[in-house]
Amino acid sequence: MMKILWKLFVLPFFPFLLFAQTYNISGRVGDKNNAALIGVNIVLTDGSSGTASDNTGHYSFNNLKPGEYTLRFSSIGYKSELRKVAISDKDIVLNIVLAEEAVEAGQVVITAGKYEQNMSELSVSASVMPADVLERKNFISLEDAVRYLPGVNMTDDQLSIRGSSGYGRGAGTRVLLAIDGLPFYTGDTGQIIWESIPVTDIERIEVIKGASGSLYGSGAIGGVINIITKKVSDKPVTYIKALAGGYDRPKYKEWDWSGGYRYFNGQVISHSNSIGNFRFTASLTRLEDESYRQSSFYHRYLGYFKGNYSLSPTSSLNFIFNSMNQRNGSFIYWKNSRNALVPPDADQGERIKSNRYMAGIDYKNIISKDFSLNIKAGYYRTYWEDQTESANNSAANVYRGEIQSTLSLNSSIVLVSGVEASLSDVQSNLFGSPASGSFGVYTQGDIHFDIPLLVSAGARFDYNKLDTLNAFSDFSPKLGISYSLSDNLKIRSSIGTGFRAPSLAEAFTSTYSSGITVKPNPNLKPETNTSFEFGFNWNILSSVNLDAAVFQNEYYDYIEPGVDTDGKITFNNVVRARIQGYELNPVFHVMNGLDFTMNYTYLWARDIEKKKALKYRPRHIASASVTYMFNSFETGADFRYWSRVEEIDDELVSLGLVPDGELRDNVYVLDLRAGYDFSKLRLPLKLTLTADNILNYYYVELVGNLAPIRNVTLSAEFVF
């Protein structure tokens, strides 16, 4: 009788109980040697969710309703895998082994269209540096890593993609840097603070080349670099890294200012865990460098937190917090060429203190399989002060917000639209107390045709107000196509416009330091550009891939620092600038475990009015990398070259501010690396040894500033 009553009570509610029941899909991703693959992209092809493998290769999808699901596994250098699973009444465990491939055409990127796209379908040139490359090269700072990206060169800490920038003296950037899509540049100088981002928490670096103003607005006139942080593991994972290294002694006695070796070291501890529906990762990083240059040391402390709270199977909140506290010396340029590692006497003992904090929140809601909503908000606080002759200091706050929707109108059309705004305020004896604000609205549609053709079209409208400068607005359209001539040959082309508002530092800086006077220019205007490129990707053989592109960028009212007739530095609008060139990026999968890549960029960067080269743009930029993996052992070499820069700040030399500052030459840098993973021996340990600038080649990126000399680093990583 009780059984009958129980059935009569339960059966009417059984469909609802079944509907409410949820399950999980989890597993591990590895290679043929059973080594864990980190940062593998795993997505549900219905678009409802995505994740990445953690430091142990594990992944999971939680709170899934019963039904059929298709999972796509993709990672650079490996063949994509599609697996179908059916959930009925229990959790699913799905372990995957990925096979190596020369180039992964199925790699998923987010930055180009602000939603997940197959890299082979993009109408613009893009490249990706995954977590395993960051780890095997033992990068301490993100700034060191981006030097190895194709088409990229650095002048000290100033980033340039395809010659978009020279050297802005720490003011402004033409490449927008974002962390998980949230812009990350300061409110006063408008620059990128590379050292504040912990490298060990990066899943991959996505680079989009050329003007991206139609989606990202001001600052993306030269391209976008998006730092995708590692997904949070739902299992307890503790990661510890310790590194130590040192610089060689200079071969010239006149340069050996310390009379001994100079050392550096660092420690990282990170832990991931979950509490109910809340998953988090927290890490602390400590770095110390005595430096090969006098008065160029630093003591750096980084804090990082990322959390994910699952509100429902289709909505979530993501939190991110990042901090950097640093004390460092100051080295702007050398005393002279005989004292190349020593600053001028007046700069001895200068110190800089900086504290930077960034917080962001990201709400994602998949309203249906065809429509999703993404709301982001961020706050970035910077404060720094220096103990120099000018005693400069600055406190800046930046508030940002964005609402984005992604709509699939049908199986062929995806529409991304959004609105964003930002506010900045500054209190400084260097820039005064200016404020700025911006507002932008954008939309972009990607249309797939029955033939293998993708057309991407979009536009953005921006309004900017920079304190006392006149308000201005800009309209930035873009059109791109991607067409598959065959399964192995794909062509792409795009044309678009962009703009960049002057940073507060470019317009209002007034200071004196190291013999250099900088004066403000309240008449500075925004710069604009038109960008065009044509490229192709060709799988010539199963083991050879070639990506190539030609490009031309026309800049108007281009902003560059110069020296006025009174001998003072100021930022001015160069009336016209033109940058043309081409890129060749071949990849060779020679045999199992052996890979070889090359990158070459030719630049023709000219000031059209003055009929001379733009400053700090090398004509030729090339790099090559070879990696060999055998079981748990890995070794490799990386080579970088760029030709002698044609134009520098000659006025600094002629006025005697930088003695011997004209000295520069072609650059050749060779790095070696080797590592061993002990996980097969059931030890949670990996050792990596790197030797950078092994030839001990002396070179400069910036006038009167010698780049790092030969140095060696040994690191040990533990994953529990």
Side-chain angles (χ1 to χ4, degrees):
M1 183 67 179
M2 289 297 296
K3 289 183 178 179
I4 295 174
L5 291 174
W6 174 254
K7 290 181 180 179
L8 290 175
F9 177 78
V10 171
L11 285 177
F13 295 96
F14 183 76
F16 300 97
L17 293 173
L18 181 64
F19 178 78
Q21 187 71 43
T22 61
Y23 300 93
N24 305 324
I25 300 175
S26 62
R28 180 180 183 274
V29 187
D31 62 15
K32 65 177 183 178
N33 296 317
N34 200 35
L37 292 180
I38 303 169
V40 174
N41 291 291
I42 308 122
V43 297
L44 301 180
T45 56
D46 63 2
S48 63
S49 186
T51 186
S53 56
D54 61 23
N55 288 331
T56 63
H58 288 90
Y59 72 94
S60 67
F61 292 93
N62 302 321
N63 302 319
L64 298 175
K65 300 173 184 177
E68 292 187 353
Y69 296 88
T70 301
L71 287 74
R72 182 176 63 215
F73 299 79
S74 63
S75 181
I76 289 180
Y78 295 88
K79 294 180 180 179
S80 291
E81 290 283 345
L82 286 175
R83 295 295 176 89
K84 293 183 178 181
V85 296
I87 297 178
S88 57
D89 58 355
K90 64 179 181 179
D91 294 339
I92 301 294
V93 176
L94 179 62
N95 296 322
I96 293 293
V97 174
L98 295 185
E100 293 180 1
E101 186 175 65
V103 170
E104 178 48 56
Q107 168 72 13
V108 174
V109 295
I110 299 172
T111 310
K114 288 197 173 186
Y115 73 100
E116 289 187 346
Q117 292 176 277
N118 192 309
M119 196 166 173
S120 64
E121 296 181 342
L122 299 182
S123 60
V124 295
S125 293
S127 59
V128 178
M129 179 180 286
D132 60 340
V133 174
L134 293 168
E135 292 174 1
R136 71 168 63 112
K137 294 185 179 180
N138 242 351
F139 292 125
I140 295 175
S141 170
L142 178 61
E143 177 186 341
D144 299 325
V146 298
R147 282 178 164 84
Y148 292 82
L149 292 166
V152 170
N153 71 290
M154 297 282 288
T155 304
D156 196 34
D157 61 352
Q158 186 84 57
L159 172 70
S160 177
I161 296 179
R162 290 179 172 174
S164 60
S165 298
Y167 185 68
R169 306 188 182 281
T173 176
R174 291 185 181 84
V175 177
L176 187 144
L177 178 76
I179 299 181
D180 292 334
L182 192 65
F184 191 65
Y185 52 88
T186 61
D188 48 10
T189 60
Q191 68 181 130
I192 299 170
I193 308 300
W194 300 102
E195 60 267 27
S196 64
I197 303 172
V199 177
T200 53
D201 290 297
I202 297 175
E203 175 188 310
R204 67 184 186 273
I205 303 172
E206 296 184 359
V207 182
I208 304 301
K209 305 173 187 179
S212 299
S214 63
L215 278 180
Y216 290 92
S218 178
I221 196 169
V224 178
I225 292 185
N226 193 11
I227 308 300
I228 309 298
T229 60
K230 291 179 178 178
K231 299 295 191 295
V232 182
S233 174
D234 63 338
K235 297 182 179 180
V237 177
T238 298
Y239 172 83
I240 298 173
K241 180 176 182 178
L243 64 89
Y247 298 97
D248 199 354
R249 296 178 67 173
K251 64 181 179 181
Y252 304 120
K253 291 183 179 180
E254 295 88 347
W255 290 6
D256 195 3
W257 59 273
S258 69
Y261 295 96
R262 309 294 292 177
Y263 299 99
F264 53 87
N265 66 86
Q267 302 82 36
V268 181
I269 182 168
S270 173
H271 181 71
S272 300
N273 211 332
S274 62
I275 304 173
N277 290 334
F278 183 69
R279 300 186 294 177
F280 69 89
T281 293
S283 71
L284 292 173
T285 302
R286 174 192 172 275
L287 298 169
E288 179 181 22
D289 193 331
E290 294 180 341
S291 184
Y292 60 100
R293 301 176 302 191
Q294 189 179 27
S295 191
S296 185
F297 71 91
Y298 67 77
H299 300 277
R300 185 181 304 157
Y301 301 87
L302 304 177
Y304 174 81
F305 178 86
K306 182 176 182 178
N308 172 270
Y309 185 77
S310 179
L311 299 171
S312 72
T314 58
S315 63
S316 64
L317 279 173
N318 292 283
F319 310 89
I320 189 169
F321 174 80
N322 175 258
S323 69
M324 184 190 76
N325 305 91
Q326 181 171 268
R327 306 295 180 269
N328 59 283
S330 175
F331 191 105
I332 300 176
Y333 53 83
W334 62 40
K335 185 176 183 179
N336 52 54
S337 60
R338 291 183 63 83
N339 297 275
L341 301 179
V342 176
D345 294 339
D347 293 354
Q348 292 283 356
E350 292 186 346
R351 301 290 183 267
I352 300 173
K353 178 176 71 173
S354 57
N355 301 310
R356 306 177 188 274
Y357 307 95
M358 176 264 198
I361 186 169
D362 183 2
Y363 170 71
K364 297 180 179 180
N365 190 356
I366 302 172
I367 298 173
S368 71
K369 69 175 184 178
D370 297 322
F371 182 67
S372 64
L373 189 67
N374 196 190
I375 303 175
K376 298 178 182 179
Y379 170 68
Y380 189 15
R381 162 78 176 181
T382 64
Y383 174 79
W384 59 268
E385 63 181 33
D386 61 39
Q387 300 171 0
T388 65
E389 180 181 3
S390 55
N392 292 320
N393 65 80
S394 178
N397 301 291
V398 184
Y399 310 86
R400 295 186 174 98
E402 180 179 6
I403 301 174
Q404 175 193 319
S405 67
T406 304
L407 174 65
S408 296
L409 297 176
N410 52 47
S411 60
S412 301
I413 303 176
V414 176
L415 187 66
V416 175
S417 304
V419 57
E420 64 177 320
S422 69
L423 293 172
S424 301
D425 65 77
V426 178
Q427 297 291 327
S428 172
N429 68 342
L430 181 65
F431 318 117
S433 301
S436 65
S438 67
F439 171 83
V441 57
Y442 61 86
T443 187
Q444 177 171 299
D446 291 340
I447 307 171
H448 292 81
F449 292 86
D450 292 336
I451 59 175
L453 172 67
L454 170 68
V455 174
S456 178
R460 176 177 171 128
F461 175 80
D462 282 274
Y463 175 86
N464 284 260
K465 183 69 172 71
L466 193 68
D467 204 69
T468 57
L469 274 66
N470 293 329
F472 58 90
S473 60
D474 187 83
F475 179 72
S476 304
K478 172 210 165 182
L479 177 65
I481 62 169
S482 173
Y483 183 74
S484 297
L485 294 174
S486 68
D487 291 340
N488 295 321
L489 180 58
K490 304 177 187 299
I491 61 173
R492 62 182 183 273
S493 184
S494 65
I495 185 170
T497 65
F499 84 103
R500 186 178 77 89
S503 68
L504 293 173
E506 288 171 318
F508 299 111
T509 296
S510 178
T511 187
Y512 176 84
S513 180
S514 301
I516 298 175
T517 300
V518 183
K519 66 178 184 179
N521 182 3
N523 299 315
L524 206 57
K525 297 182 293 184
E527 59 186 23
T528 60
N529 87 328
T530 300
S531 176
F532 168 80
E533 80 158 297
F534 173 83
F536 67 86
N537 187 279
W538 184 17
N539 283 309
I540 303 172
L541 301 169
S542 60
S543 58
V544 180
N545 177 273
L546 174 63
D547 192 271
V550 294
F551 54 87
Q552 175 165 315
N553 297 312
E554 298 283 342
Y555 290 90
Y556 305 87
D557 294 320
Y558 195 70
I559 300 173
E560 286 262 277
V563 179
D564 269 2
T565 54
D566 57 3
K568 298 178 181 179
I569 290 178
T570 187
F571 289 88
N572 292 300
N573 293 103
V574 177
V575 178
R576 278 293 308 275
R578 176 175 297 156
I579 300 176
Q580 300 169 315
Y582 60 88
E583 289 181 353
L584 299 173
N585 303 306
V587 177
F588 305 89
H589 185 64
V590 182
M591 53 184 256
N592 286 338
L594 181 60
D595 294 288
F596 179 67
T597 64
M598 295 179 61
N599 304 295
Y600 172 73
T601 302
Y602 174 81
L603 284 178
W604 182 259
R606 285 291 181 270
D607 181 332
I608 301 301
E609 291 266 322
K610 297 180 180 179
K611 297 181 180 180
K612 60 189 297 187
L614 293 173
K615 297 176 182 178
Y616 296 108
R617 272 78 163 187
R619 186 83 60 90
H620 307 278
I621 306 170
S623 65
S625 178
V626 59
T627 300
Y628 178 67
M629 292 182 288
F630 178 74
N631 291 329
S632 299
F633 176 75
E634 178 183 305
T635 186
D638 303 282
F639 176 76
R640 291 179 295 142
Y641 162 82
W642 60 94
S643 59
R644 183 180 185 271
V645 172
E646 297 177 56
E647 296 290 337
I648 59 170
D649 296 309
D650 292 313
E651 300 90 346
L652 297 179
V653 180
S654 61
L655 293 173
L657 299 176
V658 184
D660 306 321
E662 74 281 359
L663 297 177
R664 61 194 188 278
D665 205 344
N666 299 327
V667 177
Y668 309 87
V669 183
L670 176 64
D671 305 329
L672 303 179
R673 49 188 160 80
Y676 192 85
D677 189 342
F678 291 83
S679 59
K680 276 193 172 183
L681 302 177
R682 300 185 182 278
L683 294 175
L685 170 65
K686 181 180 180 180
L687 293 177
T688 303
L689 177 67
T690 57
D692 294 338
N693 194 5
I694 191 67
L695 302 178
N696 210 17
Y697 187 83
Y698 296 129
Y699 66 98
V700 297
E701 292 179 341
L702 179 64
V703 56
N705 198 315
L706 203 69
I709 62 178
R710 179 165 51 212
N711 59 92
V712 178
T713 307
L714 176 65
S715 70
E717 299 172 83
F718 304 86
V719 181
F720 304 98

